[in-house]
Amino acid sequence: IKRKDVVPLNKKLCVFLSLIIFTLYLSACSGENAAGNLPKIGVCLYKYDDTYISTVRQALEKDLEGKAILYLNDGKGDQGTQNDQIDLLIQKSVDVLLVNIVDVGAAQTIVDKAKTADIPIIFFNREPDESVIKSYDKARFIGTNAKDAGVIQGEIITRAWEKGNCDKNGDGIMQYVMLKGEPDNPEAVARTEWSIKTVEDSGIKTEELGLQVCNWDTETANRAMEAWLSKFGDKIEFVVSNNDSMAQGAIAALQSSNYNKGDSEKFIPVVGVDATDAAKELIAKGYMSGSVIQDGNAMAEALIAVALNVYNGKDFLEGTEYEYDETGIAVRIPYKPYEGTNE
């Protein structure tokens, strides 16, 4: 083969390879541009392993796939960690911040950071003080009405009590133990207060045998229930829990002592909040008396609608079915009772 015959082939090969490289480059650029056109949403969660918050996180990931770039952060229950995460998200110039705050007492500092950076911020689930939200015109809150969960719990407890077989000593007084989420958490405080107040308002007298702060944790609640059973035994007529994770821990302790295994003679009613899948299964088996539905999917839907609105330069609630409560800055996702007959 003569050399002059080889050269054109090499030139053709070079041109072909150059076209391939150029095409790949354009594809990569278009991909970057497409991603760049999506809203960047920073999500800060107080901790991933909370059952309810995990539900919200999964719904956000599913429903925003291809619609936004999500920066998800696990606060691990530590406000210092979450503060650092928010600083990084601001450095990334996210378009919207969604914050499930660890410590509501730190909310003003976070609002001030978002305001300085001119980034809209939506708190959810754990509610800062109204004055904190109102200190920045691009701040809002989406959550529940803390009182409502306690009221609904109280109504479930009242129905269970009125069915009979709960007043073991026949004194007409409901002796109960209370599993509380966190000492100063507004949800925990309201659920603790209003669950019992609602029972008492129905005409039932109550007596608290024990109250334990368990920080929403299953194992801590399990240990608390074991201690109460050892101390009070059959004197306990009801277990009231601020959430289902703690209720699960209590039921595990009860079953270890041969309660709540399907034998009506060895049963102590347990009521929680969240209506998790695990709680629904316990209710279906007759091991648990009821729970309160806190809809994680509905929370995610509201967060997405509001976040995308503000990203697109619209009012937070424009074109949605959501309405502000009397504060003018908060949207409430309603609770519902769950006693095994809802679905």
Side-chain angles (χ1 to χ4, degrees), residues 9-35:
L9 180 61
N10 288 342
K11 286 183 178 180
K12 288 178 182 178
L13 183 60
C14 289
V15 170
F16 179 69
L17 291 173
S18 297
L19 285 171
I20 292 175
I21 293 169
F22 184 64
T23 301
L24 291 172
Y25 172 76
L26 287 177
S27 298
C29 289
S30 64
E32 289 174 3
N33 289 335

Side-chain angles (χ1 to χ4, degrees), residues 158-267:
T158 299
R159 284 193 288 272
W161 181 264
E162 291 175 345
K163 288 179 182 177
N165 301 323
C166 292
D167 190 6
K168 296 178 183 178
N169 58 12
D171 66 353
I173 300 172
M174 186 186 84
Q175 279 84 22
Y176 71 93
V177 292
M178 175 71 70
L179 295 163
K180 188 175 180 180
E182 292 171 336
D184 301 316
N185 178 278
E187 292 280 346
V189 171
R191 293 175 191 181
T192 299
E193 176 186 353
W194 283 95
S195 57
I196 301 306
K197 188 178 187 304
T198 302
V199 172
E200 292 174 342
D201 286 348
S202 74
I204 300 169
K205 295 180 180 179
T206 69
E207 178 186 356
E208 183 181 277
L209 297 179
L211 182 150
Q212 181 66 50
V213 172
C214 297
N215 296 306
W216 313 107
D217 182 65
T218 303
E219 289 302 318
T220 307
N222 180 268
R223 291 192 294 271
M225 193 70 224
E226 286 178 345
W228 283 330
L229 285 168
S230 177
K231 183 176 182 179
F232 300 114
D234 282 340
K235 291 182 181 179
I236 302 170
E237 295 174 337
F238 230 102
V239 179
V240 186
S241 176
N242 282 177
N243 78 342
D244 286 341
S245 292
M246 294 186 296
Q248 280 181 255
I251 290 170
L254 285 165
Q255 292 183 331
S256 293
S257 296
N258 294 315
Y259 289 88
N260 295 39
K261 287 187 171 181
D263 182 350
S264 59
E265 294 182 5
K266 295 279 286 183
F267 182 79

Side-chain angles (χ1 to χ4, degrees), residues 45-262:
L45 304 173
Y46 101 96
K47 62 177 182 178
Y48 272 17
D49 58 5
D50 178 273
T51 304
Y52 171 70
I53 292 303
S54 177
T55 302
V56 176
R57 173 173 59 86
Q58 291 168 11
L60 286 172
E61 289 179 300
K62 178 183 176 183
D63 294 345
L64 280 174
E65 186 176 0
K67 299 177 184 177
I69 301 169
L70 275 184
Y71 297 100
L72 290 161
N73 295 270
D74 181 2
K76 301 183 185 297
D78 181 76
Q79 189 58 54
T81 298
Q82 190 171 75
N83 288 343
D84 292 341
Q85 292 168 345
I86 288 170
D87 288 341
L88 286 172
L89 289 171
I90 290 173
Q91 289 176 22
K92 288 179 181 290
S93 299
V94 295
D95 298 301
V96 186
L97 282 167
L98 305 181
V99 179
N100 170 225
I101 195 166
V102 174
D103 178 5
V104 292
Q108 187 65 67
T109 300
I110 293 172
V111 167
D112 291 344
K113 289 180 179 182
K115 186 175 183 179
T116 299
D118 194 32
I119 298 174
I121 183 168
I122 303 164
F123 289 94
F124 66 98
N125 180 244
R126 299 159 77 91
E127 185 170 7
D129 189 80
E130 180 183 333
S131 62
V132 175
I133 304 292
K134 287 186 173 179
S135 69
Y136 179 33
D137 63 353
K138 294 182 181 179
R140 295 293 187 273
F141 174 73
I142 297 178
T144 52
N145 187 326
K147 171 185 171 181
D148 291 349
V151 170
I152 293 173
Q153 259 195 321
E155 291 169 350
I156 294 171
I157 293 166
T158 299
R159 284 193 288 272
W161 181 264
E162 291 175 345
K163 288 179 182 177
N165 301 323
C166 292
D167 190 6
K168 296 178 183 178
N169 58 12
D171 66 353
I173 300 172
M174 186 186 84
Q175 279 84 22
Y176 71 93
V177 292
M178 175 71 70
L179 295 163
K180 188 175 180 180
E182 292 171 336
D184 301 316
N185 178 278
E187 292 280 346
V189 171
R191 293 175 191 181
T192 299
E193 176 186 353
W194 283 95
S195 57
I196 301 306
K197 188 178 187 304
T198 302
V199 172
E200 292 174 342
D201 286 348
S202 74
I204 300 169
K205 295 180 180 179
T206 69
E207 178 186 356
E208 183 181 277
L209 297 179
L211 182 150
Q212 181 66 50
V213 172
C214 297
N215 296 306
W216 313 107
D217 182 65
T218 303
E219 289 302 318
T220 307
N222 180 268
R223 291 192 294 271
M225 193 70 224
E226 286 178 345
W228 283 330
L229 285 168
S230 177
K231 183 176 182 179
F232 300 114
D234 282 340
K235 291 182 181 179
I236 302 170
E237 295 174 337
F238 230 102
V239 179
V240 186
S241 176
N242 282 177
N243 78 342
D244 286 341
S245 292
M246 294 186 296
Q248 280 181 255
I251 290 170
L254 285 165
Q255 292 183 331
S256 293
S257 296
N258 294 315
Y259 289 88
N260 295 39
K261 287 187 171 181

